């Protein structure tokens, strides 16, 4: 295999150039987008050298680009981006609304030279994919880039995929896919289930679907999957606003982390009546309704949503009631703050199936007395091991609570259908780590007086030391 360096060495190389470009005014996210375009051109050139053909127009190929220098190099690069952004299929998806963000020839040449030094096409799909995932993760952690909004922690994605357990013959969708983390994790989970060539072909070409309404994200997600050898002829990622999707396509599994907040001004209005939606301006509630509409009967969903979806009244409660009536919301994972890039956001993962009403709800509280930070104490997959074990994927009838009279602060608890029906909201809280003060009033007053006496004695000693100076 051609000069395959370690993942960490290549990552360092890629990020060293990112720092150089950043000093020259090219942001990390812009750099990664340009790297994606350039990497695709280089891999297409390598593929053609192996006699596997190319679907890129002759004037837009790698060789046509690298023969230029100076201002001509920038001009040629911009011509290529313009032409390829109008192409169909995989190329058009990768180069969605492509524009150049590196206008200094010397900086563009640095990126080209770095990419030229490696034989990317020969690299194992898992290896080069891991490199790209590492770049996306590092970019997502950079607060200045703002890319964190597109990046769900991979530890959480892994746990969600493990318990939803998509099968190799099923279809999996993420209607707000970001950089493709959920789809990629689902692919890794599913590909190990069978070596049958037809099933593997279906998995790579037809099983996955992702959508996003940000062109940058569509580029990154498409390339992320492409580098893992997924959708090499036609990307499973599409550039669209999912809340306007009126197709009748249904999926076996939906796993996603939709955007929160209100719909941005200037967006096309949602046809609430035509889609049978309850009207609301909350993005998260509209995405929940969309997800409910595209999952097959018997299909499974794992979706990250804020507390407001579980607590708010009005339209939100109507959607919640509809969910409870027609879908089996069997599990809620309460998440702590500090794992996402927006500070203080309280979130949950809702797990439900379509076709049966909600009965019992099992809740895992991984929030109370749990503290994480992105920098110093990030959440790892191991932190969610107990939840995954308690979930009992594939044999939920064997679930056993860890919360009991003997252990009232156990994190895994079942709320019966009767208990659920008597509630106004679904914000389940029961863990209490505060210590009860069992002292009498006289004892509390006595302790306070003793503390006051100690303070008074200390002040008297200090006055004496300082020669009676008033404090």
């Amino acid at each position: 295999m051609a000069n395959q360096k370690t993942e960490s060495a290549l990552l360092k190389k890629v990020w060293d150039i990112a720092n150089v470009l950043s000093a020259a005014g090219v942001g990390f996210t812009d750099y990664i987008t340009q790297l994606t375009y350039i990497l695709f051109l280089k891999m297409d050139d390598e593929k053609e050298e192996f006699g596997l053909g190319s679907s890129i127009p002759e004037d837009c190929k790698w060789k046509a680009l690298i023969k230029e220098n100076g201002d001509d190099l920038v001009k040629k690069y911009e011509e290529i981006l313009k032409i390829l952004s109008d192409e169909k299929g995989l190329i058009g998806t990768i180069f969605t609304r492509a524009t150049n963000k590196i206008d200094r020839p010397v900086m563009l040449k640095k990126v080209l030279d770095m990419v030229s030094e490696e034989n990317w096409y020969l690299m194992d799909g898992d290896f080069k994919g891991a490199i790209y995932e590492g770049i996306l993760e590092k970019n997502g952690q950079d607060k200045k880039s703002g890319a964190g909004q597109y990046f769900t922690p991979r530890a959480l994605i892994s746990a969600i995929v493990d318990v939803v357990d998509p099968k190799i013959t099923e279809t999996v969708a993420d209607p707000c896919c970001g950089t493709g983390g959920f789809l990629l994790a689902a692919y890794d989970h599913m590909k190990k289930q069978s070596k049958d060539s037809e099933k593997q072909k279906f998995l790579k070409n037809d099983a996955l679907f992702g959508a996003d309404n940000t062109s940058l994200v569509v580029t990154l997600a498409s390339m992320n999957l492409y580098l893992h050898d997924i959708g090499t002829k036609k990307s499973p990622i599409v550039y669209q606003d999912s809340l306007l999707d009126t197709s009748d396509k249904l999926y076996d599994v939906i796993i996603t982390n939709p955007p929160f907040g209100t719909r941005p001004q200037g967006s096309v209005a949602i046809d609430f009546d035509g889609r049978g939606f309850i009207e609301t301006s909350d993005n998260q509630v509209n995405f929940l309704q969309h997800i409910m509409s595209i999952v097959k009967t018997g299909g499974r969903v794992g979706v990250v949503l804020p507390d407001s979806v579980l607590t708010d009244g009005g339209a939100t409660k109507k959607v919640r009631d509809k969910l409870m009536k027609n879908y089996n919301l069997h599990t809620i994972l309460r998440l702590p703050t500090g794992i996402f890039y927006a500070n203080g956001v309280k979130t949950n993962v809702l797990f439900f199936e379509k076709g049966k009403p909600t009965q019992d709800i099992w809740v895992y509280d991984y929030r109370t007395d749990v503290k994480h930070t992105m920098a110093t104490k990030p959440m790892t997959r191991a932190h969610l091991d107990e939840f995954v074990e308690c979930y009992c994927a594939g044999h939920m009838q064997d679930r056993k609570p860890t919360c009991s009279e003997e252990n009232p602060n156990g994190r895994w608890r079942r709320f019966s259908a009767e208990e659920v029906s008597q509630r106004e909201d679904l914000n389940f809280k029961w863990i209490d780590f505060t210590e009860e003060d069992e002292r009498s009033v006289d004892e509390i007053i006595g302790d306070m007086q003793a503390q006051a006496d100690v303070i008074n004695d200390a002040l008297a000693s200090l006055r004496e030391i300082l020669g009676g100076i008033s404090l």
Side-chain angles (χ1 to χ4, degrees), residues 132-178:
Y132 196 73
E133 269 281 287
I135 296 168
L136 295 177
E137 182 169 14
K138 195 169 179 66
N139 185 51
Q141 293 170 353
D142 178 65
K143 293 181 179 178
K144 293 182 294 183
S145 73
Q149 62 182 306
Y150 309 126
F151 200 89
T152 305
R154 287 345 189 199
L156 177 60
I157 287 177
S158 174
I160 292 172
V161 169
D162 281 349
V163 297
V164 175
D165 191 23
K167 305 302 183 186
I168 195 168
T169 54
E170 293 182 313
T171 53
V172 179
D174 182 348
C176 26
C177 66

Side-chain angles (χ1 to χ4, degrees), residues 372-400:
H372 285 295
T373 62
M374 294 302 303
T376 60
K377 192 184 177 184
M379 184 175 70
T380 67
R381 177 60 178 77
H383 287 122
L384 296 172
D385 280 352
E386 185 183 70
F387 164 69
V388 173
E389 184 178 350
C390 287
Y391 189 102
C392 295
H395 57 106
M396 288 193 284
Q397 69 276 8
D398 296 329
R399 289 179 168 185
K400 295 178 181 178

Side-chain angles (χ1 to χ4, degrees), residues 42-43 73 88 110 124 165 177 249 289 330 417 463:
K42 176 65 161 59
M43 288 178 63
L73 175 63
K88 304 295 183 183
K110 274 186 177 294
D124 180 79
D165 191 23
C177 66
K249 181 75 173 173
Q289 293 187 86
H330 52 75
R463 286 193 180 97

Side-chain angles (χ1 to χ4, degrees), residues 32 36-37 39-40 43 90 93-94 124-137 150-152 154 157 177-185 187-188 208 216-232 235-237:
I32 291 168
T36 299
Y37 302 148
L39 195 56
F40 186 87
M43 288 178 63
L90 174 66
T93 306
I94 294 281
D124 180 79
D126 288 340
F127 180 80
K128 64 194 175 196
I131 294 169
Y132 196 73
E133 269 281 287
I135 296 168
L136 295 177
E137 182 169 14
Y150 309 126
F151 200 89
T152 305
R154 287 345 189 199
I157 287 177
C177 66
T179 53
F182 274 107
L183 296 177
L184 190 55
Y187 170 79
D188 287 339
L208 308 179
L216 157 69
V217 175
V218 169
T219 291
L220 298 180
S222 299
M223 192 64 175
N224 198 11
L225 269 62
Y226 175 76
L227 289 174
H228 286 84
D229 297 328
I230 305 167
T232 54
S235 177
I237 311 297

Side-chain angles (χ1 to χ4, degrees), residues 28 76 81 101 131-132 140 146-147 203 295 302 327 330 344 353 375 402 404:
F28 288 162
K76 183 64 178 177
L81 295 186
K101 300 293 184 179
I131 294 169
Y132 196 73
L203 175 59
V295 65
Y327 302 77
H330 52 75
E353 298 175 0
T402 61
S404 63

Side-chain angles (χ1 to χ4, degrees), residues 14-25:
V14 168
W15 216 250
D16 283 347
I17 291 186
N19 290 328
V20 171
L21 291 177
S22 179

Side-chain angles (χ1 to χ4, degrees), residues 4-254:
Q4 188 176 96
K5 300 183 179 180
T6 66
E7 181 183 327
S8 59
L10 269 176
L11 260 179
K12 182 179 184 304
K13 189 175 181 181
V14 168
W15 216 250
D16 283 347
I17 291 186
N19 290 328
V20 171
L21 291 177
S22 179
V26 179
F28 288 162
T29 302
D30 286 338
Y31 161 57
I32 291 168
T33 311
Q34 304 307 308
L35 176 63
T36 299
Y37 302 148
I38 292 166
L39 195 56
F40 186 87
L41 294 174
K42 176 65 161 59
M43 288 178 63
D44 179 81
D45 180 68
E46 294 173 13
K47 180 182 171 186
E48 189 173 27
E49 285 186 356
F50 281 100
L52 299 175
S54 166
S55 52
I56 292 180
E58 200 66 34
D59 288 346
C60 297
K61 292 182 179 179
W62 175 259
K63 291 182 176 64
L65 177 62
I66 59 173
K67 71 179 183 181
E68 303 290 351
N69 290 290
D71 291 338
D72 289 340
L73 175 63
V74 174
K75 182 180 179 182
K76 183 64 178 177
Y77 179 57
E78 291 177 350
E79 287 176 357
I80 290 173
L81 295 186
K82 185 176 186 303
I83 292 170
L84 296 185
S85 67
D86 292 330
E87 289 286 307
K88 304 295 183 183
L90 174 66
I91 294 172
T93 306
I94 294 281
F95 290 86
T96 300
R97 297 194 173 187
T99 57
N100 178 29
K101 300 293 184 179
I102 309 176
D103 54 7
R104 292 174 57 183
V106 64
M107 295 299 177
L108 181 56
K109 187 75 162 56
K110 274 186 177 294
V111 182
L112 290 169
D113 287 346
M114 180 199 67
V115 173
S116 292
E117 291 173 1
E118 308 295 335
N119 290 307
W120 300 88
Y121 188 76
L122 279 179
M123 288 181 188
D124 180 79
D126 288 340
F127 180 80
K128 64 194 175 196
I131 294 169
Y132 196 73
E133 269 281 287
I135 296 168
L136 295 177
E137 182 169 14
K138 195 169 179 66
N139 185 51
Q141 293 170 353
D142 178 65
K143 293 181 179 178
K144 293 182 294 183
S145 73
Q149 62 182 306
Y150 309 126
F151 200 89
T152 305
R154 287 345 189 199
L156 177 60
I157 287 177
S158 174
I160 292 172
V161 169
D162 281 349
V163 297
V164 175
D165 191 23
K167 305 302 183 186
I168 195 168
T169 54
E170 293 182 313
T171 53
V172 179
D174 182 348
C176 26
C177 66
T179 53
F182 274 107
L183 296 177
L184 190 55
Y187 170 79
D188 287 339
H189 182 87
M190 297 156 78
K191 72 177 182 180
K192 303 167 188 173
Q193 297 172 6
S194 174
K195 293 184 178 180
D196 180 83
S197 60
E198 287 303 311
K199 290 180 179 178
Q200 289 288 336
K201 182 180 177 181
F202 171 77
L203 175 59
K204 286 196 172 189
N205 299 312
D206 300 300
L208 308 179
F209 171 80
D212 208 285
N213 65 349
T214 304
S215 57
L216 157 69
V217 175
V218 169
T219 291
L220 298 180
S222 299
M223 192 64 175
N224 198 11
L225 269 62
Y226 175 76
L227 289 174
H228 286 84
D229 297 328
I230 305 167
T232 54
K233 298 192 182 299
K234 180 182 178 183
S235 177
I237 311 297
V238 299
Y239 176 50
Q240 73 176 28
D241 184 340
S242 290
L243 295 183
L244 304 179
D245 176 28
T246 56
S247 69
D248 56 1
K249 181 75 173 173
L250 300 175
Y251 303 92
D252 296 298
V253 172
I254 314 288

